[in-house]
Amino acid sequence: MPIESKYPLIDIPDTDVWGLMFERKDRAYPDDKVIYYDPYTTRSYTYAQVKDTAIDFGKGLKALWDWQKGDVLALYTPNCIDTPAVTWGCHWAGGVLSPANPGYTVEELAFQLKDSGAKSVVTQLPFIKSAKEAAGKAGIPENRIIIIGDQRDPSGMVKHFTSIRNTSGTARFRRTKAEPHDDLAFLVYSSGTTGHPKGVMLTHRNIVANVLMLRAGEAGKLAWDKGLNGEGDKLLAFLPFFHIYGLTCLIHQSLFSGLQLVVMPKFDLNDFCRFIQDHKITFSYVVPPVVLLLSKHPDVSKYDLSSIRMMNSGAAPLTRELVQALHDRLKIPIKQGYGLSETSPTTHTQPWEDWNKTIGSVGTLLPNQIAKYMSPEEREVPAGKTGELWIKGPNVFKGYLNNPEMTENALTEDGYFKTGDVGHQDQEGNFYITDRVKELIKYKGFQVPPAELEGILVSHPHVNDVAVIGIYNEHQATEVPRAYVVPSGGPGAGEKEAIEIVEWMNGKVANHKKLRGGVRFVEEIPKSVSGKILRRLLKVKAAEEERNGQKAKL
């Protein structure tokens, strides 16, 4: 039988995102509460300033460009405290926000602009050249490029968003309300392992539901209190706002719950630690590579991180070894959550008070969802057995833009989303995610999850970081696991050290999980901005090694 959430059903109001954020009657904090804070410039937004700025920006869009319901505004920028107001200003005007990775090339950005049908692009001055080129390729006029942040275009040719919000003659415009079930709030692009990214269509109801579901899941006896200074918890935000993890868990949750969000444009270890120390940060959403740095990097010892009550990791599997290493060094508890772009994103989280009871679990199913684990033959498997996770709930996306075939393959007729993630549940209803379906290594009919091996390897004293992939071995006509290791001693590691790691590892795993593909030393592990290992790049590297005569070991 499908697994139902242990949480009581929550009421999801029939409203759009703007209505949830700015028209609710139960807000428990004042208008002048600072919600978004830039620690580099000390610039900030209170709740009232976010709302007023968003309304003015939305009016400017309508006045200048006759903004219509469903028009798409692209966001091509690192994290910025102006982003929330621009986002909700777009929604006020009836638009759809489509965030893009600021690391995209011109061609990659142009694809998203074309595919989404974007009418305008928001960026920052350092990215203006690429934004202009991509906009040109997508047929977007240059006068529809907008700058946010502290810098202005010195030529005056590109408008700053403040000039949009200060457009005259806008008093006559009114908010365009969205139909929650049908109208899109966000069009996010998920990175595929091959081909172009997919446009994930998230409705207003999807986002409203997930904000409330996450709030219910974080409502334990330890969650969101008055913090160290009576103003409530402070969150440190470096996770990208162009990713659904940052969009929902950071931007939306902070405003909804009245939590101050200290915003970093990108991750920097020393700044991250310094801001925790100086601003008495109490909570941070992180990813496994950051947990790894905090547990091993010597610079961390320079700072007082004792104000942190809890961290939450997502975006990639977090292993028991990493949880233990962080807690052993810093005494910081860390829980795990799980979600996908297609689920708005959060579907599971560990309760605050249970973080050390089910280490390695992503927690329990958030309210208003049901789930099941399915075999490759699409038969449900019982608790304890491995399968692909399928999820159904109000947070599940509408489909992939311009791709009905892929949508049909991802969504079942009765509303389940096939996540592509492999795992199992235990008898108590805790869920475990071990890997992606397509990333499992198949050794002689056995399935080997790379993330499990990585979790063990990273606990080795001479391993700073690691990724495991499957390499085809002609002699055995099967894939074998190979580890790419960033050694703690630097680039001088050689064959002797590789053999030592292989032998150490082989003593800790079952026969079919042994590192028969050996160990290769690298300077860094390629990862996406959300912390996911880019295994396809390692596959390319492995192919080059094979061509150069470095054969996999038996």
Side-chain angles (χ1 to χ4, degrees), residues 9-29:
L9 282 172
I10 58 172
D11 179 50
I12 301 171
D14 189 30
T15 183
D16 57 11
V17 171
W18 180 275
L20 180 74
M21 292 294 161
F22 299 108
E23 296 176 354
R24 54 190 285 224
K25 306 299 183 185
D26 60 346
R27 177 164 51 90
Y29 63 92

mmCIF file with all atom_site columns, all heavy atoms in Angstrom, residues 9-29:
data_model
loop_
_atom_site.group_PDB
_atom_site.id
_atom_site.type_symbol
_atom_site.label_atom_id
_atom_site.label_alt_id
_atom_site.label_comp_id
_atom_site.label_asym_id
_atom_site.label_entity_id
_atom_site.label_seq_id
_atom_site.pdbx_PDB_ins_code
_atom_site.Cartn_x
_atom_site.Cartn_y
_atom_site.Cartn_z
_atom_site.occupancy
_atom_site.B_iso_or_equiv
_atom_site.pdbx_formal_charge
_atom_site.auth_seq_id
_atom_site.auth_comp_id
_atom_site.auth_asym_id
_atom_site.auth_atom_id
_atom_site.pdbx_PDB_model_num
ATOM 1   N N   . LEU A 1 9  ? -3.446 16.290 7.786  1.00 0.00 ? 9  LEU A N   1
ATOM 2   C CA  . LEU A 1 9  ? -3.663 17.075 6.573  1.00 0.00 ? 9  LEU A CA  1
ATOM 3   C C   . LEU A 1 9  ? -3.712 18.554 6.926  1.00 0.00 ? 9  LEU A C   1
ATOM 4   O O   . LEU A 1 9  ? -4.273 18.940 7.956  1.00 0.00 ? 9  LEU A O   1
ATOM 5   C CB  . LEU A 1 9  ? -4.966 16.670 5.896  1.00 0.00 ? 9  LEU A CB  1
ATOM 6   C CG  . LEU A 1 9  ? -4.970 15.376 5.081  1.00 0.00 ? 9  LEU A CG  1
ATOM 7   C CD1 . LEU A 1 9  ? -6.383 15.044 4.651  1.00 0.00 ? 9  LEU A CD1 1
ATOM 8   C CD2 . LEU A 1 9  ? -4.046 15.473 3.874  1.00 0.00 ? 9  LEU A CD2 1
ATOM 9   N N   . ILE A 1 10 ? -3.106 19.382 6.093  1.00 0.00 ? 10 ILE A N   1
ATOM 10  C CA  . ILE A 1 10 ? -3.170 20.824 6.313  1.00 0.00 ? 10 ILE A CA  1
ATOM 11  C C   . ILE A 1 10 ? -4.086 21.445 5.267  1.00 0.00 ? 10 ILE A C   1
ATOM 12  O O   . ILE A 1 10 ? -4.224 20.944 4.156  1.00 0.00 ? 10 ILE A O   1
ATOM 13  C CB  . ILE A 1 10 ? -1.771 21.481 6.269  1.00 0.00 ? 10 ILE A CB  1
ATOM 14  C CG1 . ILE A 1 10 ? -1.084 21.206 4.916  1.00 0.00 ? 10 ILE A CG1 1
ATOM 15  C CG2 . ILE A 1 10 ? -0.906 20.999 7.411  1.00 0.00 ? 10 ILE A CG2 1
ATOM 16  C CD1 . ILE A 1 10 ? 0.213  21.971 4.736  1.00 0.00 ? 10 ILE A CD1 1
ATOM 17  N N   . ASP A 1 11 ? -4.701 22.534 5.639  1.00 0.00 ? 11 ASP A N   1
ATOM 18  C CA  . ASP A 1 11 ? -5.579 23.253 4.722  1.00 0.00 ? 11 ASP A CA  1
ATOM 19  C C   . ASP A 1 11 ? -4.731 24.126 3.801  1.00 0.00 ? 11 ASP A C   1
ATOM 20  O O   . ASP A 1 11 ? -3.925 24.936 4.269  1.00 0.00 ? 11 ASP A O   1
ATOM 21  C CB  . ASP A 1 11 ? -6.558 24.118 5.501  1.00 0.00 ? 11 ASP A CB  1
ATOM 22  C CG  . ASP A 1 11 ? -7.473 24.908 4.581  1.00 0.00 ? 11 ASP A CG  1
ATOM 23  O OD1 . ASP A 1 11 ? -8.066 24.292 3.678  1.00 0.00 ? 11 ASP A OD1 1
ATOM 24  O OD2 . ASP A 1 11 ? -7.580 26.137 4.761  1.00 0.00 ? 11 ASP A OD2 1
ATOM 25  N N   . ILE A 1 12 ? -4.881 23.940 2.518  1.00 0.00 ? 12 ILE A N   1
ATOM 26  C CA  . ILE A 1 12 ? -4.151 24.755 1.543  1.00 0.00 ? 12 ILE A CA  1
ATOM 27  C C   . ILE A 1 12 ? -5.130 25.756 0.947  1.00 0.00 ? 12 ILE A C   1
ATOM 28  O O   . ILE A 1 12 ? -6.043 25.382 0.208  1.00 0.00 ? 12 ILE A O   1
ATOM 29  C CB  . ILE A 1 12 ? -3.529 23.881 0.441  1.00 0.00 ? 12 ILE A CB  1
ATOM 30  C CG1 . ILE A 1 12 ? -2.564 22.872 1.068  1.00 0.00 ? 12 ILE A CG1 1
ATOM 31  C CG2 . ILE A 1 12 ? -2.795 24.740 -0.587 1.00 0.00 ? 12 ILE A CG2 1
ATOM 32  C CD1 . ILE A 1 12 ? -2.054 21.824 0.125  1.00 0.00 ? 12 ILE A CD1 1
ATOM 33  N N   . PRO A 1 13 ? -4.980 27.020 1.275  1.00 0.00 ? 13 PRO A N   1
ATOM 34  C CA  . PRO A 1 13 ? -5.951 28.018 0.811  1.00 0.00 ? 13 PRO A CA  1
ATOM 35  C C   . PRO A 1 13 ? -5.936 28.166 -0.704 1.00 0.00 ? 13 PRO A C   1
ATOM 36  O O   . PRO A 1 13 ? -4.901 27.961 -1.351 1.00 0.00 ? 13 PRO A O   1
ATOM 37  C CB  . PRO A 1 13 ? -5.480 29.298 1.505  1.00 0.00 ? 13 PRO A CB  1
ATOM 38  C CG  . PRO A 1 13 ? -4.024 29.083 1.793  1.00 0.00 ? 13 PRO A CG  1
ATOM 39  C CD  . PRO A 1 13 ? -3.875 27.620 2.051  1.00 0.00 ? 13 PRO A CD  1
ATOM 40  N N   . ASP A 1 14 ? -7.069 28.527 -1.238 1.00 0.00 ? 14 ASP A N   1
ATOM 41  C CA  . ASP A 1 14 ? -7.204 28.709 -2.682 1.00 0.00 ? 14 ASP A CA  1
ATOM 42  C C   . ASP A 1 14 ? -6.734 30.119 -3.051 1.00 0.00 ? 14 ASP A C   1
ATOM 43  O O   . ASP A 1 14 ? -7.529 31.000 -3.372 1.00 0.00 ? 14 ASP A O   1
ATOM 44  C CB  . ASP A 1 14 ? -8.659 28.497 -3.092 1.00 0.00 ? 14 ASP A CB  1
ATOM 45  C CG  . ASP A 1 14 ? -8.825 28.447 -4.603 1.00 0.00 ? 14 ASP A CG  1
ATOM 46  O OD1 . ASP A 1 14 ? -7.869 28.021 -5.278 1.00 0.00 ? 14 ASP A OD1 1
ATOM 47  O OD2 . ASP A 1 14 ? -9.893 28.840 -5.101 1.00 0.00 ? 14 ASP A OD2 1
ATOM 48  N N   . THR A 1 15 ? -5.421 30.307 -2.982 1.00 0.00 ? 15 THR A N   1
ATOM 49  C CA  . THR A 1 15 ? -4.846 31.620 -3.241 1.00 0.00 ? 15 THR A CA  1
ATOM 50  C C   . THR A 1 15 ? -3.584 31.463 -4.078 1.00 0.00 ? 15 THR A C   1
ATOM 51  O O   . THR A 1 15 ? -3.017 30.375 -4.168 1.00 0.00 ? 15 THR A O   1
ATOM 52  C CB  . THR A 1 15 ? -4.518 32.348 -1.919 1.00 0.00 ? 15 THR A CB  1
ATOM 53  O OG1 . THR A 1 15 ? -4.032 33.663 -2.215 1.00 0.00 ? 15 THR A OG1 1
ATOM 54  C CG2 . THR A 1 15 ? -3.435 31.610 -1.137 1.00 0.00 ? 15 THR A CG2 1
ATOM 55  N N   . ASP A 1 16 ? -3.148 32.568 -4.672 1.00 0.00 ? 16 ASP A N   1
ATOM 56  C CA  . ASP A 1 16 ? -1.881 32.545 -5.378 1.00 0.00 ? 16 ASP A CA  1
ATOM 57  C C   . ASP A 1 16 ? -0.762 32.893 -4.404 1.00 0.00 ? 16 ASP A C   1
ATOM 58  O O   . ASP A 1 16 ? -0.995 33.120 -3.212 1.00 0.00 ? 16 ASP A O   1
ATOM 59  C CB  . ASP A 1 16 ? -1.903 33.482 -6.589 1.00 0.00 ? 16 ASP A CB  1
ATOM 60  C CG  . ASP A 1 16 ? -2.237 34.929 -6.229 1.00 0.00 ? 16 ASP A CG  1
ATOM 61  O OD1 . ASP A 1 16 ? -2.247 35.273 -5.023 1.00 0.00 ? 16 ASP A OD1 1
ATOM 62  O OD2 . ASP A 1 16 ? -2.488 35.727 -7.151 1.00 0.00 ? 16 ASP A OD2 1
ATOM 63  N N   . VAL A 1 17 ? 0.478  32.918 -4.895 1.00 0.00 ? 17 VAL A N   1
ATOM 64  C CA  . VAL A 1 17 ? 1.628  33.149 -4.024 1.00 0.00 ? 17 VAL A CA  1
ATOM 65  C C   . VAL A 1 17 ? 1.551  34.526 -3.362 1.00 0.00 ? 17 VAL A C   1
ATOM 66  O O   . VAL A 1 17 ? 1.822  34.678 -2.174 1.00 0.00 ? 17 VAL A O   1
ATOM 67  C CB  . VAL A 1 17 ? 2.945  32.993 -4.815 1.00 0.00 ? 17 VAL A CB  1
ATOM 68  C CG1 . VAL A 1 17 ? 4.132  33.436 -3.977 1.00 0.00 ? 17 VAL A CG1 1
ATOM 69  C CG2 . VAL A 1 17 ? 3.127  31.546 -5.265 1.00 0.00 ? 17 VAL A CG2 1
ATOM 70  N N   . TRP A 1 18 ? 1.157  35.548 -4.129 1.00 0.00 ? 18 TRP A N   1
ATOM 71  C CA  . TRP A 1 18 ? 1.052  36.892 -3.551 1.00 0.00 ? 18 TRP A CA  1
ATOM 72  C C   . TRP A 1 18 ? 0.057  36.910 -2.392 1.00 0.00 ? 18 TRP A C   1
ATOM 73  O O   . TRP A 1 18 ? 0.313  37.473 -1.334 1.00 0.00 ? 18 TRP A O   1
ATOM 74  C CB  . TRP A 1 18 ? 0.639  37.909 -4.619 1.00 0.00 ? 18 TRP A CB  1
ATOM 75  C CG  . TRP A 1 18 ? 0.530  39.292 -4.049 1.00 0.00 ? 18 TRP A CG  1
ATOM 76  C CD1 . TRP A 1 18 ? -0.555 39.839 -3.411 1.00 0.00 ? 18 TRP A CD1 1
ATOM 77  C CD2 . TRP A 1 18 ? 1.554  40.284 -3.998 1.00 0.00 ? 18 TRP A CD2 1
ATOM 78  N NE1 . TRP A 1 18 ? -0.279 41.108 -2.976 1.00 0.00 ? 18 TRP A NE1 1
ATOM 79  C CE2 . TRP A 1 18 ? 1.020  41.407 -3.330 1.00 0.00 ? 18 TRP A CE2 1
ATOM 80  C CE3 . TRP A 1 18 ? 2.866  40.343 -4.466 1.00 0.00 ? 18 TRP A CE3 1
ATOM 81  C CZ2 . TRP A 1 18 ? 1.745  42.574 -3.117 1.00 0.00 ? 18 TRP A CZ2 1
ATOM 82  C CZ3 . TRP A 1 18 ? 3.601  41.505 -4.258 1.00 0.00 ? 18 TRP A CZ3 1
ATOM 83  C CH2 . TRP A 1 18 ? 3.046  42.606 -3.587 1.00 0.00 ? 18 TRP A CH2 1
ATOM 84  N N   . GLY A 1 19 ? -1.071 36.280 -2.603 1.00 0.00 ? 19 GLY A N   1
ATOM 85  C CA  . GLY A 1 19 ? -2.080 36.244 -1.552 1.00 0.00 ? 19 GLY A CA  1
ATOM 86  C C   . GLY A 1 19 ? -1.558 35.586 -0.284 1.00 0.00 ? 19 GLY A C   1
ATOM 87  O O   . GLY A 1 19 ? -1.829 36.054 0.827  1.00 0.00 ? 19 GLY A O   1
ATOM 88  N N   . LEU A 1 20 ? -0.809 34.486 -0.443 1.00 0.00 ? 20 LEU A N   1
ATOM 89  C CA  . LEU A 1 20 ? -0.261 33.809 0.726  1.00 0.00 ? 20 LEU A CA  1
ATOM 90  C C   . LEU A 1 20 ? 0.731  34.697 1.462  1.00 0.00 ? 20 LEU A C   1
ATOM 91  O O   . LEU A 1 20 ? 0.723  34.772 2.693  1.00 0.00 ? 20 LEU A O   1
ATOM 92  C CB  . LEU A 1 20 ? 0.436  32.511 0.305  1.00 0.00 ? 20 LEU A CB  1
ATOM 93  C CG  . LEU A 1 20 ? 1.054  31.713 1.454  1.00 0.00 ? 20 LEU A CG  1
ATOM 94  C CD1 . LEU A 1 20 ? -0.013 31.025 2.280  1.00 0.00 ? 20 LEU A CD1 1
ATOM 95  C CD2 . LEU A 1 20 ? 2.074  30.693 0.930  1.00 0.00 ? 20 LEU A CD2 1
ATOM 96  N N   . MET A 1 21 ? 1.580  35.378 0.716  1.00 0.00 ? 21 MET A N   1
ATOM 97  C CA  . MET A 1 21 ? 2.658  36.133 1.334  1.00 0.00 ? 21 MET A CA  1
ATOM 98  C C   . MET A 1 21 ? 2.202  37.484 1.902  1.00 0.00 ? 21 MET A C   1
ATOM 99  O O   . MET A 1 21 ? 2.703  37.919 2.935  1.00 0.00 ? 21 MET A O   1
ATOM 100 C CB  . MET A 1 21 ? 3.767  36.378 0.296  1.00 0.00 ? 21 MET A CB  1
ATOM 101 C CG  . MET A 1 21 ? 4.500  35.117 -0.110 1.00 0.00 ? 21 MET A CG  1
ATOM 102 S SD  . MET A 1 21 ? 5.437  34.428 1.257  1.00 0.00 ? 21 MET A SD  1
ATOM 103 C CE  . MET A 1 21 ? 5.664  32.754 0.672  1.00 0.00 ? 21 MET A CE  1
ATOM 104 N N   . PHE A 1 22 ? 1.272  38.123 1.235  1.00 0.00 ? 22 PHE A N   1
ATOM 105 C CA  . PHE A 1 22 ? 0.988  39.521 1.578  1.00 0.00 ? 22 PHE A CA  1
ATOM 106 C C   . PHE A 1 22 ? -0.455 39.828 1.964  1.00 0.00 ? 22 PHE A C   1
ATOM 107 O O   . PHE A 1 22 ? -0.758 40.969 2.316  1.00 0.00 ? 22 PHE A O   1
ATOM 108 C CB  . PHE A 1 22 ? 1.414  40.425 0.415  1.00 0.00 ? 22 PHE A CB  1
ATOM 109 C CG  . PHE A 1 22 ? 2.873  40.340 0.100  1.00 0.00 ? 22 PHE A CG  1
ATOM 110 C CD1 . PHE A 1 22 ? 3.317  39.712 -1.055 1.00 0.00 ? 22 PHE A CD1 1
ATOM 111 C CD2 . PHE A 1 22 ? 3.818  40.864 0.976  1.00 0.00 ? 22 PHE A CD2 1
ATOM 112 C CE1 . PHE A 1 22 ? 4.676  39.622 -1.343 1.00 0.00 ? 22 PHE A CE1 1
ATOM 113 C CE2 . PHE A 1 22 ? 5.176  40.783 0.694  1.00 0.00 ? 22 PHE A CE2 1
ATOM 114 C CZ  . PHE A 1 22 ? 5.609  40.163 -0.467 1.00 0.00 ? 22 PHE A CZ  1
ATOM 115 N N   . GLU A 1 23 ? -1.346 38.851 1.900  1.00 0.00 ? 23 GLU A N   1
ATOM 116 C CA  . GLU A 1 23 ? -2.738 39.117 2.247  1.00 0.00 ? 23 GLU A CA  1
ATOM 117 C C   . GLU A 1 23 ? -3.259 38.212 3.355  1.00 0.00 ? 23 GLU A C   1
ATOM 118 O O   . GLU A 1 23 ? -4.448 38.177 3.626  1.00 0.00 ? 23 GLU A O   1
ATOM 119 C CB  . GLU A 1 23 ? -3.625 38.984 0.994  1.00 0.00 ? 23 GLU A CB  1
ATOM 120 C CG  . GLU A 1 23 ? -3.288 40.017 -0.070 1.00 0.00 ? 23 GLU A CG  1
ATOM 121 C CD  . GLU A 1 23 ? -4.078 39.839 -1.359 1.00 0.00 ? 23 GLU A CD  1
ATOM 122 O OE1 . GLU A 1 23 ? -4.821 38.839 -1.474 1.00 0.00 ? 23 GLU A OE1 1
ATOM 123 O OE2 . GLU A 1 23 ? -3.944 40.692 -2.264 1.00 0.00 ? 23 GLU A OE2 1
ATOM 124 N N   . ARG A 1 24 ? -2.359 37.493 4.002  1.00 0.00 ? 24 ARG A N   1
ATOM 125 C CA  . ARG A 1 24 ? -2.751 36.600 5.097  1.00 0.00 ? 24 ARG A CA  1
ATOM 126 C C   . ARG A 1 24 ? -3.102 37.412 6.346  1.00 0.00 ? 24 ARG A C   1
ATOM 127 O O   . ARG A 1 24 ? -2.603 38.520 6.538  1.00 0.00 ? 24 ARG A O   1
ATOM 128 C CB  . ARG A 1 24 ? -1.627 35.611 5.403  1.00 0.00 ? 24 ARG A CB  1
ATOM 129 C CG  . ARG A 1 24 ? -0.306 36.260 5.677  1.00 0.00 ? 24 ARG A CG  1
ATOM 130 C CD  . ARG A 1 24 ? 0.838  35.259 5.730  1.00 0.00 ? 24 ARG A CD  1
ATOM 131 N NE  . ARG A 1 24 ? 0.842  34.483 6.946  1.00 0.00 ? 24 ARG A NE  1
ATOM 132 C CZ  . ARG A 1 24 ? 1.950  34.238 7.654  1.00 0.00 ? 24 ARG A CZ  1
ATOM 133 N NH1 . ARG A 1 24 ? 3.125  34.710 7.258  1.00 0.00 ? 24 ARG A NH1 1
ATOM 134 N NH2 . ARG A 1 24 ? 1.899  33.510 8.739  1.00 0.00 ? 24 ARG A NH2 1
ATOM 135 N N   . LYS A 1 25 ? -3.931 36.826 7.203  1.00 0.00 ? 25 LYS A N   1
ATOM 136 C CA  . LYS A 1 25 ? -4.398 37.527 8.404  1.00 0.00 ? 25 LYS A CA  1
ATOM 137 C C   . LYS A 1 25 ? -3.654 37.085 9.668  1.00 0.00 ? 25 LYS A C   1
ATOM 138 O O   . LYS A 1 25 ? -3.863 37.665 10.735 1.00 0.00 ? 25 LYS A O   1
ATOM 139 C CB  . LYS A 1 25 ? -5.901 37.269 8.609  1.00 0.00 ? 25 LYS A CB  1
ATOM 140 C CG  . LYS A 1 25 ? -6.770 37.601 7.407  1.00 0.00 ? 25 LYS A CG  1
ATOM 141 C CD  . LYS A 1 25 ? -6.686 39.079 7.026  1.00 0.00 ? 25 LYS A CD  1
ATOM 142 C CE  . LYS A 1 25 ? -7.619 39.396 5.856  1.00 0.00 ? 25 LYS A CE  1
ATOM 143 N NZ  . LYS A 1 25 ? -7.461 40.793 5.390  1.00 0.00 ? 25 LYS A NZ  1
ATOM 144 N N   . ASP A 1 26 ? -2.785 36.074 9.549  1.00 0.00 ? 26 ASP A N   1
ATOM 145 C CA  . ASP A 1 26 ? -2.186 35.487 10.745 1.00 0.00 ? 26 ASP A CA  1
ATOM 146 C C   . ASP A 1 26 ? -0.681 35.752 10.857 1.00 0.00 ? 26 ASP A C   1
ATOM 147 O O   . ASP A 1 26 ? 0.023  35.029 11.556 1.00 0.00 ? 26 ASP A O   1
ATOM 148 C CB  . ASP A 1 26 ? -2.436 33.980 10.775 1.00 0.00 ? 26 ASP A CB  1
ATOM 149 C CG  . ASP A 1 26 ? -1.839 33.262 9.562  1.00 0.00 ? 26 ASP A CG  1
ATOM 150 O OD1 . ASP A 1 26 ? -1.471 33.947 8.585  1.00 0.00 ? 26 ASP A OD1 1
ATOM 151 O OD2 . ASP A 1 26 ? -1.744 32.020 9.595  1.00 0.00 ? 26 ASP A OD2 1
ATOM 152 N N   . ARG A 1 27 ? -0.170 36.784 10.185 1.00 0.00 ? 27 ARG A N   1
ATOM 153 C CA  . ARG A 1 27 ? 1.266  37.080 10.277 1.00 0.00 ? 27 ARG A CA  1
ATOM 154 C C   . ARG A 1 27 ? 1.611  37.492 11.702 1.00 0.00 ? 27 ARG A C   1
ATOM 155 O O   . ARG A 1 27 ? 0.988  38.389 12.266 1.00 0.00 ? 27 ARG A O   1
ATOM 156 C CB  . ARG A 1 27 ? 1.631  38.176 9.270  1.00 0.00 ? 27 ARG A CB  1
ATOM 157 C CG  . ARG A 1 27 ? 3.094  38.605 9.338  1.00 0.00 ? 27 ARG A CG  1
ATOM 158 C CD  . ARG A 1 27 ? 3.495  39.374 8.081  1.00 0.00 ? 27 ARG A CD  1
ATOM 159 N NE  . ARG A 1 27 ? 2.575  40.449 7.777  1.00 0.00 ? 27 ARG A NE  1
ATOM 160 C CZ  . ARG A 1 27 ? 2.692  41.702 8.233  1.00 0.00 ? 27 ARG A CZ  1
ATOM 161 N NH1 . ARG A 1 27 ? 3.699  42.024 9.029  1.00 0.00 ? 27 ARG A NH1 1
ATOM 162 N NH2 . ARG A 1 27 ? 1.812  42.628 7.896  1.00 0.00 ? 27 ARG A NH2 1
ATOM 163 N N   . ALA A 1 28 ? 2.644  36.871 12.262 1.00 0.00 ? 28 ALA A N   1
ATOM 164 C CA  . ALA A 1 28 ? 2.949  37.053 13.687 1.00 0.00 ? 28 ALA A CA  1
ATOM 165 C C   . ALA A 1 28 ? 4.127  37.981 13.933 1.00 0.00 ? 28 ALA A C   1
ATOM 166 O O   . ALA A 1 28 ? 4.684  38.001 15.022 1.00 0.00 ? 28 ALA A O   1
ATOM 167 C CB  . ALA A 1 28 ? 3.226  35.688 14.322 1.00 0.00 ? 28 ALA A CB  1
ATOM 168 N N   . TYR A 1 29 ? 4.503  38.768 12.950 1.00 0.00 ? 29 TYR A N   1
ATOM 169 C CA  . TYR A 1 29 ? 5.627  39.691 13.133 1.00 0.00 ? 29 TYR A CA  1
ATOM 170 C C   . TYR A 1 29 ? 5.282  41.022 12.473 1.00 0.00 ? 29 TYR A C   1
ATOM 171 O O   . TYR A 1 29 ? 4.413  41.096 11.598 1.00 0.00 ? 29 TYR A O   1
ATOM 172 C CB  . TYR A 1 29 ? 6.922  39.100 12.560 1.00 0.00 ? 29 TYR A CB  1
ATOM 173 C CG  . TYR A 1 29 ? 6.909  38.852 11.072 1.00 0.00 ? 29 TYR A CG  1
ATOM 174 C CD1 . TYR A 1 29 ? 7.374  39.825 10.185 1.00 0.00 ? 29 TYR A CD1 1
ATOM 175 C CD2 . TYR A 1 29 ? 6.447  37.649 10.539 1.00 0.00 ? 29 TYR A CD2 1
ATOM 176 C CE1 . TYR A 1 29 ? 7.370  39.611 8.817  1.00 0.00 ? 29 TYR A CE1 1
ATOM 177 C CE2 . TYR A 1 29 ? 6.433  37.432 9.173  1.00 0.00 ? 29 TYR A CE2 1
ATOM 178 C CZ  . TYR A 1 29 ? 6.897  38.412 8.323  1.00 0.00 ? 29 TYR A CZ  1
ATOM 179 O OH  . TYR A 1 29 ? 6.885  38.205 6.965  1.00 0.00 ? 29 TYR A OH  1
#
